[in-house]
Amino acid sequence: KKPITFLFSRSGDTTETVDALKQISTSKLSKSFGITCNRDSYLYKNSDFSFSLSEASEKAVVTTKSFTSMALLPLLIFSSLSEEHGCFKELKKLPAFGRNIINKYENISKVLGQNEDINKFSILSNLPNFGLAREVKLKILEMTLSWADCFNTLDFRHGPRAVVDRNSLIILFLSDKAASYELNLARELKEMGAKLLVFGDIVPKEFYNLTDDIIEIGEKIGEWLRGILFLPVIHFLAYYKAVKKGLNPDKPKNLTYFVEIR
């Protein structure tokens, strides 16, 4: 059977995505599945299969709800096809969890975002949430024009820790299998004077004396799913940091709604 290539683009007209779709269509080596937020786009109209999340499109240049929606859609598709129904049941819980996270933790984001002492952000994560760590870095860079980077959690000891100081916020996505190692790292970072923001489904109590703030779902949920719930906290943090710096978080400099290469 031919493979299926998934192509993602909020606008559906981003040059690199459109060019990739043309290559796929010409080679006939793969079927294409376009996921976009624009039903009138090239991607939607020319993919073999396509799905439009029009309700998730935002006017801002920065992708927020469009990203989370496009990231969740494949999980919904594949979990519904799978014989492992646990994932599908957990997905159905995400909207309620998401509302709770937003209502409960927006103020933490606001306090951190308005803290003028914080000017460096390091995002630490292992698989499967390392991709989301990259997205967190991107949102902070775009919206706040602050230094930000992401690292595999324990790799942070090997070089990147050199930049840690009292102006650093370390954002740590806890993993299921390496919590004891991450706890040791948290102790080291705290001794260096960094502020620590920890995300998890149920955060071990040992972290509470080491961290400045904890974002916790309060219920066990699969590692492949829970990371998406934490992104609104980051969006709020970046928004409040941008406003504090006098920036427009919706329209970062040098960026356009989508990339079109002429």
Side-chain angles (χ1 to χ4, degrees), residues 105 108-109 112-113 118 121-124 136 140 168-174 186 189-190 194-200 203 207 210-216 230 233-234 237:
Y105 295 114
I108 288 178
S109 298
L112 289 171
I118 297 173
F121 299 84
S122 296
I123 304 94
L124 312 184
V136 169
I140 293 173
S168 302
L169 177 66
I170 311 297
I171 298 170
L172 173 59
F173 288 85
L174 293 183
L189 295 172
K190 196 64 180 175
K195 291 179 174 59
L196 194 59
L197 176 61
V198 172
F199 291 80
V203 176
F207 280 89
L210 297 172
T211 59
D212 295 88
D213 293 292
I214 288 176
I215 309 298
E216 185 176 47
F230 301 138
V233 177
I234 301 299
L237 191 160

Side-chain angles (χ1 to χ4, degrees), residues 83 125 130 249:
E83 294 180 0
S125 180
F130 188 70

Side-chain angles (χ1 to χ4, degrees), residues 36-39 51-59 65-66 69:
T36 181
C37 297
N38 181 9
R39 190 177 289 269
F51 202 104
S52 173
L53 292 158
S54 302
E55 301 89 341
S57 184
E58 60 268 287
K59 294 180 180 179
K65 65 180 179 179
S66 56
S69 298

Side-chain angles (χ1 to χ4, degrees), residues 145-160:
L145 307 184
S146 303
W147 185 93
D149 210 342
C150 60
F151 308 91
N152 286 301
T153 303
L154 298 184
D155 280 350
F156 195 69
R157 283 194 177 109
H158 303 277

Side-chain angles (χ1 to χ4, degrees), residues 69-80:
S69 298
M70 289 190 293
L72 282 169
L73 181 61
L75 291 172
L76 184 63
I77 292 171
F78 293 125
S79 64
S80 65

Side-chain angles (χ1 to χ4, degrees), residues 70-225:
M70 289 190 293
L72 282 169
L73 181 61
L75 291 172
L76 184 63
I77 292 171
F78 293 125
S79 64
S80 65
L81 295 174
S82 171
E83 294 180 0
E84 175 51 64
H85 299 296
C87 179
F88 189 72
K89 290 179 180 178
E90 285 192 325
L91 271 169
K92 293 173 72 174
K93 297 179 181 180
L94 293 189
F97 285 147
R99 284 190 292 271
N100 183 56
I101 289 283
I102 290 170
N103 293 332
K104 188 175 181 180
Y105 295 114
E106 180 185 354
N107 193 58
I108 288 178
S109 298
K110 184 176 182 179
V111 171
L112 289 171
Q114 293 181 339
N115 187 333
E116 295 180 346
D117 292 335
I118 297 173
N119 57 32
K120 288 187 290 189
F121 299 84
S122 296
I123 304 94
L124 312 184
S125 180
N126 294 313
L127 290 174
N129 284 318
F130 188 70
L132 288 179
R134 294 181 64 187
E135 172 67 11
V136 169
K137 176 190 76 170
L138 180 61
K139 291 287 96 76
I140 293 173
L141 280 171
E142 288 178 333
M143 295 173 73
T144 76
L145 307 184
S146 303
W147 185 93
D149 210 342
C150 60
F151 308 91
N152 286 301
T153 303
L154 298 184
D155 280 350
F156 195 69
R157 283 194 177 109
H158 303 277
R161 63 183 279 172
V163 303
V164 173
D165 57 26
R166 295 187 181 278
N167 300 115
S168 302
L169 177 66
I170 311 297
I171 298 170
L172 173 59
F173 288 85
L174 293 183
S175 63
D176 287 343
K177 295 181 179 180
S180 61
Y181 299 102
E182 292 160 352
L183 180 62
N184 290 333
L185 179 61
R187 290 193 182 102
E188 296 172 19
L189 295 172
K190 196 64 180 175
E191 289 172 0
M192 297 176 198
K195 291 179 174 59
L196 194 59
L197 176 61
V198 172
F199 291 80
D201 53 355
I202 298 178
V203 176
K205 60 182 181 181
E206 292 85 356
F207 280 89
Y208 276 76
N209 294 327
L210 297 172
T211 59
D212 295 88
D213 293 292
I214 288 176
I215 309 298
E216 185 176 47
I217 297 169
E219 182 177 322
K220 291 297 293 181
I221 187 168
E223 202 168 8
W224 285 95
L225 300 181

